[in-house]
Amino acid sequence: LMLPLSTAADQSQASKKQRTNDAVEESSMDNIVTFDVGGKIFKTSRSCLQNHAGIHMLERLVSDTWQKDKDHTKPIFIDRDGDTFAYVLNYLRYGHVTLPATVLPEDMFLLDLDFYGIEPTEDSVRSANFLKEKNTPTDLVTFDVGGRIFKTKESVTKTRSKYMPNDETEMERLVAKWQKSDTTQPLFIDRDPDVFAQILNYLRFGKVTLPPNIPEDVFYEDLGYFIGLTRDTENVTLSVQRVDIGNTELHSFLEAVGWKYGIDSAYNRDPLDDF
């Protein structure tokens, strides 16, 4: 029986394609290795285990020399922690790893890396806590002033003008002391929070407009306490002004913006008629 030339060619092509697929599949299967680590099954490629510089234990375990006369259908058993091994594989895959610090301490992971003979490169092993600290603004200072919480940049607390004394200010001393303690807790200062809000605004903008609930003598007292400026310091009185509450237009404007710049507290608590 003679097949048409086209049919014979098609069958020959199909047979060749099948042999190629079988070869690829066989090659792929040969490249896959299975581990049983503490009862957990892992699959990875031989090429993954060869990613790291130097010969390590896992690479030896899957080598032809070690696997000679072994049953390749069974996973290679390792009596170590399976959860940790998952991160060991990820380290080999990517060349770095981030550990969930609450689940896997870094020292425990490094202990297993040493067991497998894998030497980590510099900064290639990080914990989630490290990343959290890294992403947290390092110059952020938190104050608890009379029970009210304030946050500002450290650079604001170090703002200086040519009129300020050369010595370290009380604000700078307080921040330095806080930075040496538990910075997860705010720095407590037993002063008036309404006045402190204006002190921060003065440091931020170089000037301030005081609301009627803050007497000037109280403001100047705290200005001297925190940053060493007094009413008699050159140019200070020019940068400290008072809100004219009789101005209807200003009154409406401040009400609309919600006293955004630290002078809202008194107006939000009490009716305007009280002033």
Side-chain angles (χ1 to χ4, degrees):
L1 178 65
M2 297 291 293
L3 293 174
L5 290 178
S6 58
T7 304
D10 291 343
Q11 289 185 348
S12 175
Q13 187 68 23
S15 178
K16 183 178 179 181
K17 185 176 181 181
Q18 183 62 46
R19 288 195 302 271
T20 301
N21 290 340
D22 291 344
V24 170
E25 183 177 355
E26 182 179 353
S27 175
S28 299
M29 292 302 294
D30 287 343
N31 190 41
I32 295 175
V33 290
T34 306
F35 292 100
D36 176 351
V37 185
K40 289 191 173 184
I41 302 300
F42 297 88
K43 285 187 178 183
T44 189
S45 64
R46 293 176 188 271
S47 56
C48 169
L49 301 180
Q50 295 168 354
N51 280 341
H52 193 72
I55 305 298
H56 51 80
M57 173 184 169
L58 296 175
E59 195 172 354
R60 289 193 183 97
L61 284 176
V62 301
S63 66
D64 293 336
T65 302
W66 186 271
Q67 288 298 311
K68 187 177 181 180
D69 301 327
K70 296 286 181 69
D71 185 353
H72 293 184
T73 63
K74 293 183 179 179
I76 301 171
F77 177 74
I78 304 175
D79 192 9
R80 300 295 284 190
D81 180 68
D83 291 334
T84 305
F85 188 74
Y87 290 95
V88 171
L89 284 183
N90 278 342
Y91 181 81
L92 292 174
R93 288 178 180 123
Y94 309 117
H96 59 85
V97 70
T98 300
L99 307 174
T102 55
V103 178
L104 179 58
E106 186 174 332
D107 56 351
M108 183 176 174
F109 175 75
L110 293 176
L111 191 65
D112 264 24
L113 277 190
D114 183 64
F115 172 79
Y116 294 117
I118 302 170
E119 185 175 348
T121 56
E122 186 177 359
D123 292 332
S124 59
V125 178
R126 301 281 179 86
S127 68
N129 283 348
F130 173 87
L131 293 181
K132 182 178 179 181
E133 292 168 5
K134 184 177 180 181
N135 293 328
T136 300
T138 55
D139 69 338
L140 196 63
V141 182
T142 307
F143 298 95
D144 176 353
V145 183
R148 192 186 307 172
I149 301 300
F150 296 86
K151 288 185 179 182
T152 191
K153 292 182 178 180
E154 181 187 358
S155 56
V156 169
T157 68
K158 293 182 176 180
T159 300
R160 305 190 70 85
S161 72
K162 62 182 180 180
Y163 306 109
M164 293 174 66
N166 293 325
D167 297 337
E168 184 181 41
T169 66
E170 182 64 18
M171 179 77 82
E172 290 171 328
R173 283 192 289 270
L174 288 169
V175 171
K177 180 181 178 180
W178 173 75
Q179 289 174 332
K180 295 177 181 178
S181 62
D182 182 6
T183 55
T184 62
Q185 300 298 320
L187 167 64
F188 178 73
I189 303 176
D190 192 10
R191 307 292 284 196
D192 187 308
D194 287 335
V195 179
F196 186 76
Q198 304 311 318
I199 299 296
L200 286 184
N201 281 340
Y202 186 88
L203 289 171
R204 290 178 181 123
F205 310 118
K207 59 183 178 180
V208 70
T209 300
L210 299 178
N213 66 313
I214 298 180
E216 287 188 16
D217 58 343
V218 175
F219 172 77
Y220 281 117
E221 181 178 345
D222 270 15
L223 194 67
Y225 172 77
F226 284 112
I227 60 176
L229 295 179
T230 67
R231 188 193 297 264
D232 298 326
T233 304
E234 185 181 355
N235 204 50
V236 167
T237 54
L238 297 177
S239 58
V240 178
Q241 299 180 9
R242 167 72 67 186
V243 170
D244 181 7
I245 197 63
N247 187 318
T248 304
E249 183 178 352
L250 177 63
H251 170 234
S252 300
F253 169 74
L254 291 175
E255 213 175 28
V257 299
W259 296 91
K260 181 178 180 181
Y261 295 104
I263 55 176
D264 58 324
S265 53
Y267 286 89
N268 287 336
R269 285 199 306 267
D270 303 308
L272 293 175
D273 294 340
D274 290 348
F275 296 105

